[in-house]
Structures are given as C-alpha cells and as structure tokens.
Amino acid sequence: MRIDVLSIFPSYFDGLALSLLGKAQSAGILDLSVRDLREWTFDRHRTVDDTPYGGGAGMVMKPEPWGLALDELASRPPAPPSTIIFPSPAGEVFTQATARELSTREHLIFGCGRYEGIDERVFEYASSVGEVRLISLGDYVLNGGEVATMAMIEAIGRLIPGVVGNPESLVEESHEDGLLEYPSYTKPSVWRERGVPDVLLSGNHGAIATWRREQQIERTRSRRPDLLSGDES
Ligand code: SAM
C-alpha cells in the first residue's frame, strides 16, 4: 500500500518510522511519504491560509496549494482511484470497520487540516480525482489533522497482511467481532496477592474459550452498552 500525507507539520509523522510500521516500510510492505503542503506555495511567506469569506474567527486553508498537491499525488487512470481522506470533526466516525475497509485500498492520501479547516471547494475538487472520505476520530476538536491521521495510519497499517507477525492476534481483538476483548494475564500467576482466574490455569481449552466469551459480553455490557444495542451514538 502507498500512503501520502499532506501536512504543514511533517515532523509530526517521524514516529511512524518506529516499531511495526517502521519495519513494514523497511520490508517494502508500506510505502509512506509525508509532504509539506508549503511545497505547493510560491509566495515569500509560503502562505497556506487566509481570512474567511463572510467573516468570523480564525483562518481557512487556501484551496490553491491543495489543488496542486492533489494533482501531483492522486493516481491517474488506469490506476485504481486514490482514496483521499480528510480528517475532520464533521466527518463519519472512524471505526475498526473503517480501518478494515481502508486497509484494502492501494493508495491513500491524507490531507491534514489546520486553523478553522480547509476551503470547502477542495473536497469537491478532490472527488474529481479520487474517492473522498471526511473522517472524524471522535466527537471532540483537535488543533489539526495530524494526530487523527497518525491514529488512522496505525489502525489501517496493522491490518495490511505481513505488518503484524501473527495474523491471529488481529482477529481476537476488541471491535473485530463487535465486542471488547477479554482480559489478559501473564506470569507470575500471583502478583501482589492477586491471582489469575483459575480457568486460565486449567488447561481446559473449551472452558477457557467459554470464559473468555462471557468476559467479552460482560465487559461490553458494562463499558460499552451502545455496541450491544447497535446504537453507537
Ligand atoms: N472549524 C472546524 C470545525 O468546527 O469542524 C474544526 C477545525 S480544527 C481546529 C482543525 C483541523 O483539525 C481540522 O481541519 C481537522 O483536520 C482536524 N481535526 C480536528 N478535530 C478532529 C477530529 N475529531 N477528527 C479528525 N480530525 C480533526
């Protein structure tokens, strides 16, 4: 998979060179490129923002640098269309299902907004050169799209075949089957007077599977009842 990121703070993404995603890049499984949006500005101050039409607080990102950047980065036919993701608190909420869906794409472009956001016409133009998704990390407002993009790249990237060593560990995780994951324990069997549940020491795989399933349901019911009712609002 190829991922291009557009940001006015490219160094935010240095952390993606670490750990599993760093190894995936070294192994050629993930081709990640982070570009400074100011590369597509031509004035002395490399300006990417301007005052909003209609007035109001804050600045809005100008459309011209975005248009030029997308012209350069979006795949052209006959290549499959790029998926262009704009992190936005006003977008669809990112879930594990979104991550799974996006992990099948060949080319993702992330456009990180700053200030009060991006001139609305950019989204319309982007949909003429690719598939556009406005995606929110959750119902709160961040200063910019960088943190949201990093979270999405990590969630999507770990689902690309070959990134996580043992693919079975992906299947058993929270949200994969609509439930939260069961509790996990490791050695020692007693730590600070707290023991591990007996069933996990029993060697009875059927009993362990039943216990884990019960724990998943109970944990989901108490912490995230919205997942059981299908109501995620
Ligand atoms: N004025 C915008 C609004 O009210 O919808 C918020 C702009 S925010 C300060 C600047 C940028 O941060 C956004 O363009 C977006 O890229 C990013 N951002 C903020 N909150 C986000 C969230 N919950 N999910 C994803 N991106 C977010």
Side-chain angles (χ1 to χ4, degrees), residues 3-135:
I3 298 181
D4 287 298
V5 179
L6 289 164
S7 163
I8 59 169
F9 295 115
S11 51
Y12 254 96
F13 297 91
D14 291 352
L16 293 178
L18 305 172
S19 188
L20 293 178
L21 291 188
K23 285 187 191 146
Q25 290 172 74
S26 306
I29 299 171
L30 177 64
D31 176 9
L32 174 70
S33 164
V34 183
R35 304 279 296 269
D36 188 340
L37 185 69
R38 295 188 201 275
E39 285 179 40
W40 291 275
T41 59
F42 305 101
D43 62 308
R44 197 155 56 93
H45 301 292
R46 308 180 79 203
T47 311
V48 292
D49 61 316
D50 209 333
T51 52
Y53 276 122
M59 302 292 271
V60 175
M61 295 192 98
K62 292 161 64 64
E64 298 96 324
W66 286 105
L68 293 170
L70 291 174
D71 287 344
E72 186 172 325
L73 298 180
S75 307
R76 298 274 173 251
S82 308
T83 299
I84 306 165
I85 299 160
F86 292 102
S88 166
E92 61 176 296
V93 176
F94 187 72
T95 65
Q96 187 68 12
T98 323
R100 255 204 194 280
E101 183 196 348
L102 294 174
S103 71
T104 63
R105 301 292 199 272
E106 287 187 21
H107 183 209
L108 303 179
I109 300 174
F110 286 88
C112 303
R114 278 271 153 183
Y115 314 108
E116 287 309 313
I118 303 172
D119 186 305
E120 192 70 21
R121 291 167 294 182
V122 171
F123 309 127
E124 200 184 304
Y125 176 72
S127 64
S128 71
V129 295
E131 175 208 15
V132 172
R133 302 279 289 266
L134 269 68
I135 303 185

Side-chain angles (χ1 to χ4, degrees), residues 197-208:
D198 288 340
V199 65
L200 297 179
L201 308 174
S202 70
N204 182 336
H205 296 298
I208 292 171

Side-chain angles (χ1 to χ4, degrees), residues 124-194:
E124 200 184 304
Y125 176 72
S127 64
S128 71
V129 295
E131 175 208 15
V132 172
R133 302 279 289 266
L134 269 68
I135 303 185
S136 171
L137 211 57
D139 292 339
Y140 42 81
V141 178
L142 302 165
N143 286 334
E146 286 76 11
V147 167
T149 294
M150 285 186 69
M152 287 190 261
I153 290 177
E154 187 152 314
I156 294 164
R158 65 198 301 280
L159 298 176
I160 300 170
V163 172
V164 170
N166 180 359
E168 273 183 32
S169 67
L170 296 175
V171 177
E172 293 193 353
E173 280 174 324
S174 296
H175 302 294
E176 276 300 335
D177 59 359
L179 297 172
L180 304 182
E181 197 186 39
Y182 50 78
S184 300
Y185 301 86
T186 186
K187 298 178 190 67
S189 58
V190 179
W191 174 74
R192 298 194 178 187
E193 296 169 18
R194 289 161 173 80

